[in-house]
Amino acid sequence: MPSAAFRSVLRLLPRSTGPRAFVAAFLGFFLLGAAWSVALPYDGPPDEFRHVVRAYGVLDGQIAARVNAQVTVPRSLVPAGVADDDAASCMRWKLDVSAGCVSAPAPGDESRMVETTSGAANYNPLYYAVVGWPLKLAPDFTGVVAARLLTCLLTSALLAGAVAVAVRLMPGRGPLMLGGVLLALTPVAVNLTGAVNPAGPEIAAAVAVWTALIAILMARDDSKGTLALFGFSAGTLAVLRELGIGWLLAALAVTAFGAQRERMAELARRPAVRAWAAAVAAAAVFGAAWILLSTQGGIPAVGKTTNAVPQGTELWVKELTHRVPFYTSGLVGLTSYGDVAIPFPLTLAWFVAVGALLVAVARKAGVRVLLQLAAIVVGGYLFLVGADLKAAASNWWFSQGRYALPLLVGAPILAGFAAADRGLVAVPRQVRLMRRAAWVLIPAQAVALWITMIRFEHAFTSRHPNLFFLFGETSSVNPFSGAWTPPGAAVPAVLLGVAGTVALLTLVYRATGSGPISDVHSVTIRERYIRIS
């Protein structure tokens, strides 16, 4: 049970139902994302330099760019130690080098223009037009942090919408769908919410799409808010990145497979559904047109190479014994460029929670749900393996686990809904499990932030440290000092991270603490029908 101090925090917030759940969730996710925004150095989040350059270019009118095109930006955005090319970056992929190697811009660099490349030069400009204007006004680290915070605002709104829908579906079912949403938001996903990178909004939009579709098609949620959440998040997903349309179609296909035909026909007759479907289709057409016009299709011809890539049988052995475990770890416990590992026990705890939920549902929820979950998980891994093998033909590795998160987040969300809706776990037991898991998994978000801060402030003594024994791999675990420190000597970052953790814990306790559960609220709709009949 929470302490007296924690209970006092609970009383400050309204009960987490409907719009009030949105406010509570938005606060929690924004605080955590803001902590990441102010905690990491320039180009500390994955591929950030490339996206910063693209954002400035879009706001400067350099929109119709091709792959690796030259973009003219202020010299202050290209300090020594940061570049598009991995080899020209002093800390990228080098865990034994702190962020202190990046030089500060010289006076007047904001007005000196230089040409540089960007691996994101051909990405759809809409995201960059939304978050990039601070970079145009202040082309320095201040502008970068401001652009990160705008990304955080977008992702927090999408995630809060998903939480609000999940909470609205709880009465009579229990909180496991909310648990599935929170399990989908791994530290890797939250890390991206505070970065200049469309990957964070893409994952957040996918979480909202899966949640809204399950609510509309499978739970028969007819609220205007849920439909609006689907329309906005689906349109966002379709235009952010190259694979967004594919992720959207996959979510539609999987959830439609679990819906009844009568429900599909009923929705097709509604004017509001048709209007939102037309808006999403227009967004998808725009996204597809941009891909074709910008020659974005296919895997880029550059990537991270560390060792010679084997071929033939050795390639398959390497893929199955090394790369697949790497993808799996990268879904939860590898932040920054996929090279900063949080302590293994926390990663394991996350997989235990997700695995227990998936196994329980796969065993008891029926063949249709089993096929839905299999399609999500197998499809995600087939994408990662296929993309990696295609890149291996050019002697480099491509895939990271986070690339498939827009699809894989659907698994815990769907499993949470199925377990709750079909009464596989009694509601009081759901509450107990959620509260116990929350005390481990939500603080893991703050631990991931702390570990990543240490990496950039103090560096590790090895390029590939075993972070199970963290204290032996770095000169210090103090987040308030180092060769490089965030603005305010890391105090704002730590305070925001702690506040975000407390806010999310509070959300879980408010959402699961609605008082004694009556017999009416402890059975599923299907069980009620059986009892009445």
Side-chain angles (χ1 to χ4, degrees):
M1 294 298 293
S3 65
F6 189 72
R7 285 196 297 270
S8 66
V9 175
L10 296 181
R11 289 192 291 269
L12 295 177
L13 294 180
R15 290 199 179 276
S16 299
T17 54
R20 289 173 293 184
F22 178 92
V23 173
F26 179 86
L27 178 65
F29 290 120
F30 180 77
L31 288 170
L32 269 181
W36 282 99
S37 297
V38 301
L40 300 193
Y42 182 31
D43 202 37
D47 301 320
E48 184 174 64
F49 170 81
R50 293 156 183 165
H51 296 293
V52 165
V53 169
R54 173 59 170 157
Y56 183 91
V58 168
L59 269 295
D60 194 52
Q62 304 174 65
I63 297 175
R66 300 284 179 170
V67 178
N68 295 321
Q70 292 287 326
V71 183
T72 302
V73 299
R75 183 72 180 84
S76 55
L77 294 179
V78 196
V82 173
D84 189 33
D85 185 8
D86 287 335
S89 176
C90 67
M91 64 179 178
R92 194 183 302 158
W93 306 109
K94 304 167 186 175
L95 294 181
D96 55 348
V97 179
S98 75
C101 69
V102 178
S103 67
D109 277 355
E110 292 82 1
S111 58
R112 299 188 183 102
M113 307 302 289
V114 298
E115 285 191 346
T116 184
T117 59
S118 168
N122 61 327
Y123 277 40
N124 193 302
L126 286 184
Y127 162 76
Y128 303 100
V130 172
V131 307
W133 60 266
L135 294 164
K136 181 68 174 175
L137 297 176
D140 51 24
F141 190 57
T142 299
V144 170
V145 171
R148 291 174 179 176
L149 290 172
L150 287 178
T151 300
C152 185
L153 280 173
L154 173 60
T155 57
S156 299
L158 290 166
L159 297 177
V163 166
V165 170
V167 168
R168 287 186 64 253
L169 296 180
M170 281 173 49
R173 294 186 175 92
L176 270 187
M177 185 172 179
L178 172 61
V181 172
L182 295 177
L183 283 174
L185 298 172
T186 67
V188 170
V190 175
N191 164 214
L192 289 164
T193 66
V196 182
N197 189 325
E202 179 188 43
I203 296 170
V207 169
V209 164
W210 279 102
T211 306
L213 279 175
I214 291 170
I216 293 170
L217 297 180
M218 300 176 67
R220 294 180 173 271
D221 183 352
D222 291 324
S223 71
K224 294 180 180 179
T226 302
L227 182 59
L229 176 66
F230 167 72
F232 180 75
S233 58
T236 302
L237 183 61
V239 300
L240 278 173
R241 285 161 63 90
E242 177 183 358
L243 294 172
I245 297 173
W247 301 138
L248 175 59
L249 293 175
L252 284 166
V254 170
T255 51
F257 180 74
Q260 296 180 351
R261 293 183 179 179
E262 295 81 2
R263 178 61 175 172
M264 301 288 288
E266 175 191 350
L267 290 170
R269 292 191 295 267
R270 295 185 179 179
V273 173
R274 293 180 180 179
W276 277 111
V280 173
V285 169
F286 175 76
W290 180 265
I291 292 172
L292 295 175
L293 291 174
S294 66
T295 64
Q296 189 179 342
I299 297 175
V302 295
K304 175 61 183 168
T305 57
T306 54
N307 298 298
V309 177
Q311 300 298 325
T313 303
E314 292 183 5
L315 172 61
W316 281 99
V317 171
K318 177 80 169 180
E319 187 71 27
L320 296 176
T321 61
H322 176 71
R323 297 294 297 172
V324 170
F326 170 70
Y327 310 151
T328 305
S329 180
L331 297 172
V332 174
L334 298 179
T335 62
S336 187
Y337 280 79
D339 54 357
V340 180
I342 68 175
F344 177 73
L346 294 179
T347 300
L348 180 61
W350 208 289
F351 280 116
V352 167
V354 174
L357 179 61
L358 295 182
V359 170
V361 171
R363 290 179 58 193
K364 300 179 181 180
V367 174
R368 180 168 294 195
V369 174
L370 174 61
L371 291 175
Q372 287 177 290
L373 294 175
I376 295 171
V377 176
V378 174
Y381 274 88
L382 284 178
F383 161 73
L384 292 171
V385 171
D388 230 17
L389 293 177
K390 182 175 181 180
S394 301
N395 203 43
W396 61 284
W397 300 114
F398 170 77
S399 291
Q400 294 187 43
R402 65 182 177 87
Y403 296 165
L405 273 176
L407 176 60
L408 293 175
V409 293
I413 299 172
L414 176 60
F417 169 76
D421 188 59
R422 298 175 183 235
L424 303 184
V425 181
V427 174
R429 181 168 173 78
Q430 291 185 42
V431 171
R432 290 194 298 271
L433 290 173
M434 284 240 350
R435 290 187 169 192
R436 291 170 183 171
W439 281 106
V440 176
L441 301 183
I442 292 178
Q445 301 282 1
V447 173
L449 173 66
W450 170 55
I451 298 295
T452 311
M453 291 173 67
I454 291 171
R455 175 263 177 273
F456 288 110
E457 293 174 18
H458 301 283
F460 297 121
T461 56
S462 167
R463 287 180 183 268
H464 302 284
N466 179 0
L467 290 184
F468 192 96
F469 305 102
L470 172 69
F471 291 89
E473 300 289 350
T474 183
S475 60
S476 174
V477 294
N478 180 7
F480 302 108
S481 66
W484 176 88
T485 54
V491 172
V494 171
L495 292 179
L496 287 167
V498 172
T501 301
V502 171
L504 290 182
L505 283 170
T506 302
L507 168 68
V508 171
Y509 268 80
R510 294 296 291 179
T512 58
S514 55
I517 301 173
S518 68
D519 181 64
V520 173
H521 288 128
S522 63
V523 295
T524 64
I525 295 173
R526 181 177 301 176
E527 288 172 323
R528 293 177 204 167
Y529 174 78
I530 292 173
R531 290 187 182 186
I532 294 171
S533 61

